[in-house]
Amino acid sequence: VNGPPKDALGDVDVETFRREAHRLVDWIATYLAEPERYPVLSPLAPGDVRRLIPTTAPRSAEPLARILDDVPQAVLPGVTHWNHPGFFAYFASSASGPGILGEMLTAALSVNGMLWKTSPAATEMEVAVLDWVRQMMGLPEGFFGVIQDTASASTLVALAAAREAVPGLDARRQGLVGQARLRMYASAEAHSSIEKAGIVLGIGQDGCRKIPVDDTFRMDVAALRQAIDEDRAAGLTPFAVTASVGTTSTTSIDPVREVAQLCARERLWLHVDAAYGGSAALDPGMRHVLDGAEAADSLVVNPHKWMFVPLDLSVLFTRRPDVVRAAFSILPEYLRTAEETAAPNLMDYGVSLGRRFRALKLWMVLRAFGHEGMAARIREHIRLAREFEGWVRADERFEVMAPAPFSVVCFRGGFPALPAGEQDAANQRLMDAVNATGQVYLSHTRLRGRLALRMAIANLRTQERHVRRAWELLQREAGRLGA
Amino acid sequence: VNGPPKDALGDVDVETFRREAHRLVDWIATYLAEPERYPVLSPLAPGDVRRLIPTTAPRSAEPLARILDDVPQAVLPGVTHWNHPGFFAYFASSASGPGILGEMLTAALSVNGMLWKTSPAATEMEVAVLDWVRQMMGLPEGFFGVIQDTASASTLVALAAAREAVPGLDARRQGLVGQARLRMYASAEAHSSIEKAGIVLGIGQDGCRKIPVDDTFRMDVAALRQAIDEDRAAGLTPFAVTASVGTTSTTSIDPVREVAQLCARERLWLHVDAAYGGSAALDPGMRHVLDGAEAADSLVVNPHKWMFVPLDLSVLFTRRPDVVRAAFSILPEYLRTAEETAAPNLMDYGVSLGRRFRALKLWMVLRAFGHEGMAARIREHIRLAREFEGWVRADERFEVMAPAPFSVVCFRGGFPALPAGEQDAANQRLMDAVNATGQVYLSHTRLRGRLALRMAIANLRTQERHVRRAWELLQREAGRLGA
């Protein structure tokens, strides 16, 4: 035997792993029990973390204990704590205990569910659990679900399928050069991932027409109809519309039913971006937000946003899985199996061949909370947003800047001593001031050219006192800044 | 207060989480200590797992303990154990203890590193640790690394950047219709993800020209040159070549240096697919496999393949991060931050906006094993493959079907009593027979029209006895089948 000594190879010693993993579990449990222990927004400056990390990898092995002991000084100061109950920025993503258990098992098994055969449980649990989600959202039978990493990927896949579905256009084989000039539509408030998908797919930003919104930030369907007519008259080929259920800035809900009727008449693929808002439909009292979405060709919803599953897990539902498969399936000999006609190979429904066993965490979370528990949490977040909105409306120094159909409130302060041109900067200072406390983290957007702060409530650990604290801080800092 | 009772909301009780997480750690440690406890290939038939899962989500919450207790019967029978030391199919992906610890921490923090600000540690550790990998692989300074989920995504991003770099073609703005007809090139043995990227990008399968290989399955550079000349003469626009360092079927290595010289002369983007083979360069004795790759515009390597990191983690290195960014960056107001000029926002370097903190697991694995430990494990796998190849060559009933420059051996049995037309079916039966033992899992490919079995050694837990056992089973079953 001329190989190296056996003890230098294989994995780290299992008992050492066991000891350190137990220690890490205790740290995680304490972290989850004290979610306000660290400032929500990392106070570090660019380069601070990098300076703590050696510039080259260690030559020799280091003990696991030492590596984990480095986490508090090398990692945590640079973490913005998405699990902090004062996280009100963007859309929340919070890790529930059951979700973390699911991730632990996923990491340990580390299967690649690219083919049914390479882990039947990964494929079949994904199909089964996504059908749970479909039912919980009130979507009809016939929607097939497949997990992607993020909504950006789900939307890319959906719009690739839409492109594939264009009659007479064999984009898969021939590409787009020399073909009809495609056009797709979304509102001016739609998420940037739609435009990004247009770029990737070779349609280009010019092929992505933005439709104006009404005074409540909803797509103007008459303007959509006119745009389609104009484009057809100009020799372009409309092929897809993305309607949003919960836009990123204000969470406005496009009139999906009317858009769907127009898409049916015009034979356009309807994709619904419900990445954030779709989860609300888990509450039967909020089902109406998906009115019309039953006619969609595809719909994206992100359990890693408002279903308390750790990143990443986005679900693409589609009534036309055959078209998605036609757009993406490539089966070289080395991936052929005897089962390919009896069971789906989920690699055929997206860009990525390798697929983590992501369904496990969703299975655990949905069981641990139950449908009623999921709905109760979502309902509570919406209730808290209504409370907050009420406080803002009751304070004459502030204004609410958009309807809040879910759990996000857009608002801003008014600074009477300042000219109109400096109101934005003052609100930016207001946001920076409350964020600097480490107790809350809000982000902003721009509405009709004016800066707006967003109070986005969807963190699993947020309670009424956290929302109240955010409001106190906003009032205090607004006062200091002369609101 | 008209909300629901507080105890119905928030996360599961932390002490319950702590108890169940400890129990799960013990299960995982035992699982890792007994990696041969379960059959490597799941013996289930399509539908078996689905039947064990209720058709609807539970209405009410279930105890965590009950959910975890369901894992042995509802999940494990349907798992194909990628961690089993007898996993010799495809390319291995095995989860090391340190990698699992990294995933646990990633899941608990569950940060979204889309922007620098949304977790500086996620961005800066990614940049730092990928620079470790760059150095370990012997790539020169100037290669910037960014994590993608899989090689399919890395290659899509690379080829999108290649498209962006075409002079006079503003694909981002204008799309591909009415533009030059693009062509990209890869060998006939290149991975299917390259063609998939061509489809997604709107170049189409017709825009992906496959270059013949020589008798050792390496790209024929003279044929590549001729193809480029022909295409230019026909008015097409060559723009990218993908060279493989470790093709999927045989792990052949394209002559990267010659391809790079041709690309430089023809001004084509050179992408190197080293998803599997690139890890071998961690062993200084194997650095030669990347000869010429220092001139690549982009290169993909997958730590989740042969660097013992759990799925998923692919690295895209590029010398032209500015072009990648130009292809993908979209910055709506709601994602603007004050730091965007001082620190990279990694969402700008790929399709997905949401980004898990994947760098943690790579940081842990590289430190826990050290550069020398990583190299020793890879060297041992290559040594085991050489041993196996020797045994096959010494047995006249078998033939080796391709050179084995890494740790994958392609071979097949000869069945003298059967006509030539039945040799493939006999080898398929041989593979099915050894896979049915539950002790090993091999997959196949097709080489010059003939079925070949692949013995792919790259699992962290594989020792010489497992390789020997595979060979014994192959010999035994081949004998039974009349080899």
Side-chain angles (χ1 to χ4, degrees), chain A residues 240-313:
Chain A
V241 178
T242 299
S244 302
V245 173
T247 55
T248 308
S249 284
T250 71
T251 73
S252 60
I253 304 169
D254 287 337
V256 178
R257 186 170 297 284
E258 292 171 60
V259 174
Q261 285 161 354
L262 184 56
C263 286
R265 200 158 56 233
E266 298 281 343
R267 299 184 159 276
L268 309 181
W269 184 286
L270 172 59
H271 177 57
V272 172
D273 178 357
Y276 155 76
S279 296
L282 265 56
D283 176 10
M286 287 292 285
R287 282 262 174 99
H288 60 87
V289 301
L290 290 182
D291 272 356
E294 67 279 1
D297 296 285
S298 56
L299 178 148
V300 54
V301 62
N302 280 9
H304 73 219
K305 282 197 169 73
W306 208 3
M307 291 189 212
F308 319 121
V309 167
L311 280 166
D312 46 18
L313 202 169

Side-chain angles (χ1 to χ4, degrees), chain B residues 44-103:
Chain B
L44 298 194
D48 285 351
V49 176
R50 188 86 197 257
R51 272 189 289 278
L52 295 171
I53 301 175
T55 55
T56 57
R59 177 147 289 280
S60 306
E62 294 186 65
L64 278 188
R66 187 200 296 167
I67 304 169
L68 285 179
D69 286 345
D70 276 352
V71 168
Q73 59 90 13
V75 178
L76 293 181
V79 169
T80 290
H81 291 276
W82 288 65
N83 280 320
H84 192 294
F87 190 101
F88 299 119
Y90 311 108
F91 290 124
S93 178
S94 43
S96 61
I100 296 169
L101 293 176
E103 282 282 13

Side-chain angles (χ1 to χ4, degrees), chain B residues 312-332:
Chain B
D312 46 18
L313 202 169
S314 173
V315 179
L316 174 64
F317 283 113
T318 178
R319 290 195 300 123
R320 304 179 70 181
D322 51 322
V323 180
V324 175
R325 199 169 175 284
F328 284 98
S329 177
I330 298 183
L331 194 60

Side-chain angles (χ1 to χ4, degrees), chain A residues 278-397:
Chain A
S279 296
L282 265 56
D283 176 10
M286 287 292 285
R287 282 262 174 99
H288 60 87
V289 301
L290 290 182
D291 272 356
E294 67 279 1
D297 296 285
S298 56
L299 178 148
V300 54
V301 62
N302 280 9
H304 73 219
K305 282 197 169 73
W306 208 3
M307 291 189 212
F308 319 121
V309 167
L311 280 166
D312 46 18
L313 202 169
S314 174
V315 178
L316 175 64
F317 283 111
T318 178
R319 288 195 299 125
R320 305 180 69 182
D322 51 321
V323 180
V324 175
R325 199 169 175 284
F328 284 99
S329 178
I330 298 182
L331 195 58
E333 180 62 31
Y334 50 79
L335 292 174
R336 299 208 75 112
T337 62
E339 296 81 3
E340 67 207 28
T341 52
N345 289 328
L346 294 180
M347 64 165 192
D348 286 343
Y349 299 85
V351 169
S352 291
L353 174 57
R355 306 185 86 249
R356 300 179 76 224
F357 193 169
R358 291 190 183 89
L360 265 176
K361 57 187 171 185
L362 187 54
W363 178 70
M364 290 208 187
V365 171
L366 295 180
R367 291 185 64 183
F369 291 163
H371 187 171
E372 285 172 352
M374 297 293 289
R377 286 163 176 83
I378 288 164
R379 208 157 43 228
E380 172 69 355
H381 292 152
I382 295 172
R383 185 188 74 79
L384 291 174
R386 296 232 168 97
E387 290 273 309
F388 181 87
E389 184 184 358
W391 301 334
V392 177
R393 287 195 189 282
D395 187 330
E396 63 197 6
R397 297 172 303 171

Side-chain angles (χ1 to χ4, degrees), chain A residues 213-224:
Chain A
V213 294
D214 64 18
D215 57 3
T216 58
F217 304 98
R218 297 152 43 97
M219 186 192 284
D220 178 339
V221 182
L224 172 63

Side-chain angles (χ1 to χ4, degrees), chain A residues 66-372:
Chain A
R66 188 199 296 167
I67 306 169
L68 285 179
D69 286 345
D70 277 352
V71 168
Q73 59 91 12
V75 179
L76 293 181
V79 169
T80 290
H81 291 276
W82 288 65
N83 280 320
H84 192 295
F87 190 101
F88 298 120
Y90 310 108
F91 289 123
S93 177
S94 43
S96 61
I100 296 168
L101 293 176
E103 282 282 11
M104 287 168 63
L105 192 53
T106 295
L109 297 174
S110 197
V111 304
N112 178 346
M114 57 186 187
L115 305 172
W116 176 86
K117 183 174 188 167
T118 59
S119 252
T123 295
E124 296 195 15
M125 184 180 281
E126 181 164 333
V127 171
V129 173
L130 296 192
D131 203 57
W132 291 6
V133 174
R134 176 191 67 73
Q135 295 169 53
M136 291 165 77
M137 291 173 70
L139 290 171
E141 282 187 38
F143 276 92
F144 175 82
V146 61
I147 294 175
Q148 311 285 341
D149 61 348
T150 64
S152 304
S154 291
T155 290
L156 174 65
V157 170
L159 294 173
R163 190 185 65 177
E164 185 67 22
V166 177
L169 180 93
D170 185 2
R172 179 186 163 101
R173 166 67 48 197
Q174 298 177 33
L176 297 180
V177 178
Q179 305 261 30
R181 193 173 287 274
L182 300 176
R183 278 278 217 181
M184 61 188 215
Y185 308 84
S187 92
E189 292 289 315
H191 191 259
S192 53
S193 58
I194 297 158
E195 190 173 334
K196 204 179 215 183
I199 294 171
V200 172
L201 292 170
I203 292 156
Q205 289 171 302
D206 288 350
C208 305
R209 185 159 176 178
K210 291 181 182 173
I211 305 301
V213 294
D214 64 18
D215 57 3
T216 58
F217 304 98
R218 297 152 43 97
M219 186 192 284
D220 178 339
V221 182
L224 172 63
R225 185 178 300 113
Q226 192 183 334
I228 293 168
D229 289 346
E230 281 171 11
D231 286 347
R232 286 208 197 278
L236 307 179
T237 301
F239 79 107
V241 178
T242 299
S244 302
V245 173
T247 55
T248 308
S249 284
T250 71
T251 73
S252 60
I253 304 169
D254 287 337
V256 178
R257 186 170 297 284
E258 292 171 60
V259 174
Q261 285 161 354
L262 184 56
C263 286
R265 200 158 56 233
E266 298 281 343
R267 299 184 159 276
L268 309 181
W269 184 286
L270 172 59
H271 177 57
V272 172
D273 178 357
Y276 155 76
S279 296
L282 265 56
D283 176 10
M286 287 292 285
R287 282 262 174 99
H288 60 87
V289 301
L290 290 182
D291 272 356
E294 67 279 1
D297 296 285
S298 56
L299 178 148
V300 54
V301 62
N302 280 9
H304 73 219
K305 282 197 169 73
W306 208 3
M307 291 189 212
F308 319 121
V309 167
L311 280 166
D312 46 18
L313 202 169
S314 174
V315 178
L316 175 64
F317 283 111
T318 178
R319 288 195 299 125
R320 305 180 69 182
D322 51 321
V323 180
V324 175
R325 199 169 175 284
F328 284 99
S329 178
I330 298 182
L331 195 58
E333 180 62 31
Y334 50 79
L335 292 174
R336 299 208 75 112
T337 62
E339 296 81 3
E340 67 207 28
T341 52
N345 289 328
L346 294 180
M347 64 165 192
D348 286 343
Y349 299 85
V351 169
S352 291
L353 174 57
R355 306 185 86 249
R356 300 179 76 224
F357 193 169
R358 291 190 183 89
L360 265 176
K361 57 187 171 185
L362 187 54
W363 178 70
M364 290 208 187
V365 171
L366 295 180
R367 291 185 64 183
F369 291 163
H371 187 171
E372 285 172 352

